Amino acid sequence: MTSYSELGLVNTKELFKKALAGGYAIPAYNFNNMEQLQGIIQACVETKSPVILQVSSGARKYANRNILRNMARGAVEYAHELGVDIPVVLHLDHGNGLELSKDCIESGVSSVMIDGSHLPYEENVALTKSVCEFAHSRKDYVSVEGELGVLAGMEDEVSSEHSHYTAPGEVIDFVGKTGVDSLAISIGTSHGRTKFKPEQCTRDANGVLIPPPLRFDILEEIEKKIPGFPIVLHGASSVPMEYVRMIEQFGGKMKDSVGIPEEQLRRAAKSAVCKINIDSDARLAMTALIRKVLTEKPEEFDPRNILGPARDELKKLYMHKNQNVLGSAGNA
Ligand code: G3H
Ligand code: 13P
Ligand code: ZN
């Protein structure tokens, strides 16, 4: 059994308090491999940003929980070696039950999400409460994120055919009964790179899809019900067209890609939204650069020369997010 403080990690409590007061959001970046993790740490050190490293069930299957835990320890040491001790959280993304949460907590995560959003309300409350009771009773307090409302979109382990917005009328009861430390809400973001169907969007002069705006009215109602309570946005990739085009230029197919515009995320980050989840944008950046190298250098077969440029691009992407979208830069 490992407790997260032994790994040099922190929970989200203090980070969210500061983010709420400072009008910015902490980046929550998913990782599955070394190059992604290096890109995240290099960017967060260089921009002096706190960071939440997210592992999904899919990441645990792909990379192994012991490897991921030790990578997080390595990330803390790597940041120190680079010269800035940034706060690092290791977070379970979209946990689906008490057993998985316990397993993650006992192997060193400092924060878990329990995603009961697809369950009937009372079942979501009961499941989330059971995870909070376990997580909060540890010697090192583990923070818990719950979710109300259902996001659209498809991922390997996260999928939903029917989305619905968070009902502001439920949030006081949910937060009170469960004891969660933060609440993920549904206000129009969505998982993956095709966040909206083309028929839900308009198109600009170049034929690029323009998505419907986020429901800031629902966010404001929620903020009025639970003032100062940390809110989380999932599905917050912007799906940069430069990467979509690069992937297509080098043989990929990325039809109907559309994300959340950066200025809307910036606006959200200034509110009670203090954690913003980004995965798809990093997948796009990595795929774009790998395709470019493989196409332009057909004789290349050293993985370091194939993945290295992708890692550099990830660093650039994460620095941009921290500095210009989330506003977390300078807040380590
Ligand atoms: O929201 C889900 C994350 O993007 C993780 O995706 O389950 O394919 O690892 P994954
Ligand atoms: P994106 O697919 O928009 O990157 O969302 C990631 C996410 O919500 C991880 O939990
Ligand atoms: Zn998510």
Side-chain angles (χ1 to χ4, degrees), residues 37-237:
L37 186 59
Q38 287 175 321
I40 294 169
I41 295 301
Q42 289 168 8
C44 291
V45 163
E46 208 153 312
T47 58
K48 296 191 170 53
S49 170
V51 68
I52 298 172
L53 302 172
Q54 302 204 125
V55 294
S56 66
S57 297
R60 279 167 57 97
K61 270 188 218 147
Y62 178 79
N64 178 277
R65 64 180 187 153
N66 288 316
I67 290 183
L68 289 169
R69 181 242 321 272
N70 283 295
M71 284 173 80
R73 184 207 304 261
V76 173
E77 290 177 13
Y78 183 39
H80 182 75
E81 186 188 323
L82 292 176
V84 188
D85 285 317
I86 55 171
V88 178
V89 175
L90 181 62
H91 174 82
L92 167 67
D93 191 24
H94 293 284
N96 63 0
L98 182 58
E99 285 318 302
L100 175 62
S101 304
K102 281 185 178 172
D103 190 52
C104 288
I105 290 167
E106 285 172 351
S107 70
V109 308
S110 56
S111 172
V112 293
M113 175 194 191
I114 176 66
D115 184 355
S117 59
H118 54 287
L119 297 171
Y121 180 75
E122 289 304 338
E123 286 176 41
N124 186 4
V125 169
L127 176 62
T128 306
K129 184 169 187 269
S130 70
V131 172
C132 287
E133 281 169 357
F134 183 80
H136 294 165
S137 66
R138 312 304 294 171
K139 181 168 66 66
D140 289 328
Y141 184 102
V142 172
S143 26
V144 180
E145 173 185 320
E147 178 161 344
L148 269 180
V150 178
L151 271 69
M154 285 283 263
E155 293 286 301
D156 283 359
E157 304 276 333
V158 186
S159 68
S160 177
E161 300 253 305
H162 306 287
S163 61
H164 64 81
Y165 297 124
T166 304
E170 288 179 347
V171 298
I172 296 178
D173 187 68
F174 187 82
V175 165
K177 280 187 180 154
T178 59
V180 281
D181 303 282
S182 62
L183 181 67
I185 60 166
S186 171
I187 56 165
T189 59
S190 148
H191 289 113
R193 72 163 176 88
T194 51
K195 298 197 181 300
F196 304 95
K197 298 192 182 87
E199 55 271 26
Q200 293 175 287
C201 304
T202 53
R203 285 190 192 266
D204 71 7
N206 301 316
V208 174
L209 293 172
I210 309 294
L214 295 183
R215 291 291 304 269
F216 282 99
D217 56 324
I218 298 178
L219 174 59
E220 279 159 23
E221 267 190 75
I222 292 170
E223 287 186 89
K224 275 188 208 140
K225 301 270 182 200
I226 43 174
F229 193 80
I231 301 294
V232 177
L233 278 193
H234 282 246
S237 276

Side-chain angles (χ1 to χ4, degrees), residues 15-41:
L15 300 192
F16 286 170
K17 213 186 282 174
K18 285 191 195 158
L20 282 167
Y24 61 90
I26 313 284
Y29 298 134
N30 290 71
F31 79 101
N32 301 266
N33 65 37
M34 183 189 74
E35 284 77 9
Q36 289 171 324
L37 186 59
Q38 287 175 321
I40 294 169
I41 295 301

